[in-house]
Amino acid sequence: MEPGGLEWLLVPMQQLVSWGAAGAMVFGGVVPYIPQYRDIRRTQNAEGFSTYVCLVLLVANILRILFWFGRRFESPLLWQSIIMIITMLLMLKLCTEVRVSNELNVKRRSFAAADSKDEEIKAPPKRSYLDFDLNYFWHWSKFTDYLQCVLTFTGVTGYITYLWLDSSFFVETLGFLAVFTEAMLGVPQLYRNYQNRSTEGMSIKMVLMWSSGDTFKTVYFFLNQAPFQFSICGLLQVFVDIAILLQVYLYSHYPQKPVSHTAHPTSTKAL
């Protein structure tokens, strides 16, 4: 085959591979949550999944989008953040509905002060407008409370970013916080598994997909010369995934007695 003919074949192949890698970056991050979402919907039990995972990813991807305004990185990474935010909101909605339907304690917990018309409240609430009780933070009774919290965080961080957008130090720090927060993605699940001394209820498929996706993502960062924050924190994320997989092995081969949380059951739940 002539060199010109070979080049004619290689160019579209390279373009196809590039499109495939970009598509994997955009949608690959949400794939691990599909089996977990289906398991929760099928069993109507969300105890094995920590919704603090959703919190970590929401914060990380909101910060990453804000980082894009200061330093324009590749558009697939931007679209990945948008798709991930939508996915995490859907996960939160399902987990909240399932948990509330199974919860015996019907006392209303909210991000904003409860409406006096709420049937569960017999008297006007005697507390401040925002409920930041650490025992119940991110453990609210309605999906709208989570949505209000996310919108408040986005508005505050967006305003701060607008004021400091001309500072390269602020922009680089923002980028580091975004990817470092994402690198901590598996830590809530790691802690929850340690707390329960078990990985029961956690989707093993989800963790395996986490590991393969994070490995692919880290290699993608290095090959495409993404900002150094992305590459370093990508490696950290892979190490956390490996630690969770070690928990799966240890707790399945050497079962341990779960830690009792009878004293304050609601304060120890990650949901």
Side-chain angles (χ1 to χ4, degrees), residues 8-30:
W8 176 262
L9 178 63
L10 289 178
V11 170
M13 287 294 294
Q14 291 174 349
Q15 188 65 47
L16 187 62
V17 171
S18 176
W19 286 345
M25 282 301 301
V26 173
F27 297 103
V30 305

Side-chain angles (χ1 to χ4, degrees), residues 136-153:
Y136 299 101
F137 179 77
W138 210 250
H139 190 74
W140 301 309
S141 305
K142 290 185 178 180
F143 171 69
T144 52
D145 293 306
Y146 294 95
L147 196 57
Q148 289 174 11
C149 181
V150 171
L151 291 176
T152 300
F153 175 78

